[in-house]
Amino acid sequence: EVQLVESGGGLVQPGRSLRLSCTTSGFTFADYAMNWVRQAPGRGLEWLSFIRTKAHGAAAQYAASVKGRFTISRDDSRSIAYLQMNSLKTEDTAVYHCVSSRDGYDLYFDSWGQGSLVTVSS
Amino acid sequence: DIVMTQSPDSLAVSLGERATINCKSSQSVLYNSNNKNYLAWYQQKPGQPPKLLIYWASTRESGVPDRFSGSGSGTDFTLTISSLQAEDVALYYCQQYYIAPITFGQGTRLEIK
């Protein structure tokens, strides 16, 4: 069974940093692209970032709203994906979902974690 | 950026009746070299993460009931639930993965009439 479990969320002050982890199991992590998608309270889905497989150069891209502040990475040896979030803003408050893409390149989102709540507030 | 616009924003359908949700992209998501539409549909129930229903515009994900179907090409797409069941009450989102930034529609809320 595919499992994705996010951790590392919580309450943080504006301007501070947080790192989210996505611990996975049940699939060959190295063959999957990984993504982060967030959902602000009562709002829709916002894609933030993806990182492709090493076979595809581990290429990463970001939404404009987080580019330069957030960094995605992956540790294939531990089957974990990360999202380093710096210079956090109040508008970054949301549930952050880790999402897998089994295609490895074409990014439909086949499995989602339950999410980790990040609250940015002073 | 490709803007995805769903219609309607909310929809109430009687049990056993057909439900249709539309999704329009601001530019084509059809990749001519492989003739694939880079369009997916998701279902989100309260307190749960989204669940993949349809990808490549019309390919049903494993385990998804066959009352769910996707159609369309280019810029206009439709998710159809052929016979609405109580458990289908949810938010539905379309998503394009043709080009980054990956974008979602605003969501359509489906309820029972």
Side-chain angles (χ1 to χ4, degrees), chain A residues 63-76:
Chain A
S65 59
V66 303
K67 193 171 185 179
R69 299 190 298 126
F70 291 11
T71 303
I72 193 171
S73 60
R74 61 188 299 152
D75 183 341
D76 289 354

Side-chain angles (χ1 to χ4, degrees), chain B residues 72-91:
Chain B
S73 184
T75 61
D76 292 280
F77 300 91
T78 300
L79 174 70
T80 301
I81 307 171
S82 59
S83 176
L84 189 71
Q85 306 299 303
E87 60 266 31
D88 301 334
V89 170
L91 271 166

Side-chain angles (χ1 to χ4, degrees), chain B residues 8-107:
Chain B
D9 289 334
S10 63
L11 179 63
V13 174
S14 300
L15 289 173
E17 295 299 306
R18 178 184 300 260
T20 301
I21 299 170
N22 301 300
C23 176
K24 187 174 184 68
S25 57
S26 61
Q27 66 185 75
S28 176
V29 298
L30 172 63
Y31 191 35
N32 290 326
S33 67
N34 60 10
N35 201 37
K36 286 185 173 182
N37 287 282
Y38 284 58
L39 190 285
W41 288 96
Y42 300 86
Q43 175 193 65
Q44 186 176 30
K45 296 182 179 179
Q48 297 184 19
K51 171 189 172 184
L52 177 65
L53 296 176
I54 302 284
Y55 57 99
W56 299 128
S58 60
T59 301
R60 195 179 305 113
E61 174 71 337
S62 176
V64 172
D66 61 7
R67 64 180 179 273
F68 290 89
S69 63
S71 63
S73 184
T75 61
D76 292 280
F77 300 91
T78 300
L79 174 70
T80 301
I81 307 171
S82 59
S83 176
L84 189 71
Q85 306 299 303
E87 60 266 31
D88 301 334
V89 170
L91 271 166
Y92 292 84
Y93 294 93
C94 63
Q95 173 226 350
Q96 68 80 18
Y97 49 101
Y98 180 82
I99 192 170
I102 294 165
T103 48
F104 292 90
Q106 80 277 18

